[in-house]
Amino acid sequence: MLADTHAPRRWKSCPAPVAACLRGAGLILHAGDVCTAQVLDELAGYAPVLAVRGNNDGPDVAAWGAPDRLETEICGLRVAMVHDSGPAGAPPDRRRQPHGTLGLLDIAGGRLVRAQIVAVG
C-alpha cells in the first residue's frame, strides 16, 4: 500500500527500495495523491493496481479509474480505501517522517494475517 507519491515533485520514477518491495506483490493499493496517472501505469508494471483519488489528483487519475472511495474484496477480506485529507487547497497537517514508508499486507482466507510498515528511503 502506497499513498502521497506526489509525482512528479516527489516521485520521478519508482525508487529502487519501493520497487524491491513491489516485486512479487499480488496487488498494489494506492491511497491517493498520485498526482499523475503515469505513476499508476508504472506501478501496474509490477502488479495489478487499485487506487483512489486524493485531493491533489486531477482528471487523468479519475480517467485511469481511481474513484474517490473504493470498496472491494481481496482474498475474501472486505477492504475500503479513501484518501480523506480534506478539500483541495486545504492546508495540510504536515507530519513528516524522516523517511518514506509503505505498507505490506498479507491477506489470506478472508483474514489480515500480517501488516508491516517498511521504511523505503
Side-chain angles (χ1 to χ4, degrees):
M1 175 173 249
L2 302 164
D4 298 293
T5 46
H6 290 274
R9 190 169 41 124
R10 293 192 189 140
W11 176 292
K12 307 297 185 211
S13 66
C14 188
V18 173
C21 290
L22 298 179
R23 286 188 192 96
L27 179 68
I28 298 169
L29 303 174
H30 196 298
D33 278 0
V34 179
C35 298
T36 175
Q38 291 172 335
V39 169
L40 299 173
D41 290 335
E42 182 180 10
L43 293 174
Y46 293 95
V49 176
L50 295 176
V52 294
R53 287 191 315 246
N55 59 311
N56 288 294
D57 292 328
D60 65 324
V61 175
W64 189 90
D68 290 329
R69 176 183 169 89
L70 177 73
E71 293 184 37
T72 191
E73 190 173 295
I74 302 170
C75 297
L77 179 69
R78 295 282 307 150
V79 175
M81 186 168 55
V82 63
H83 185 74
D84 195 29
S85 62
D93 179 7
R94 296 200 181 266
R95 285 176 241 161
R96 297 280 181 186
Q97 294 177 275
H99 47 75
T101 59
L102 59 78
L104 298 178
L105 306 175
D106 186 3
I107 300 170
R111 295 183 46 231
L112 177 61
V113 176
R114 184 175 64 109
Q116 180 182 6
I117 303 294
V118 177
V120 289

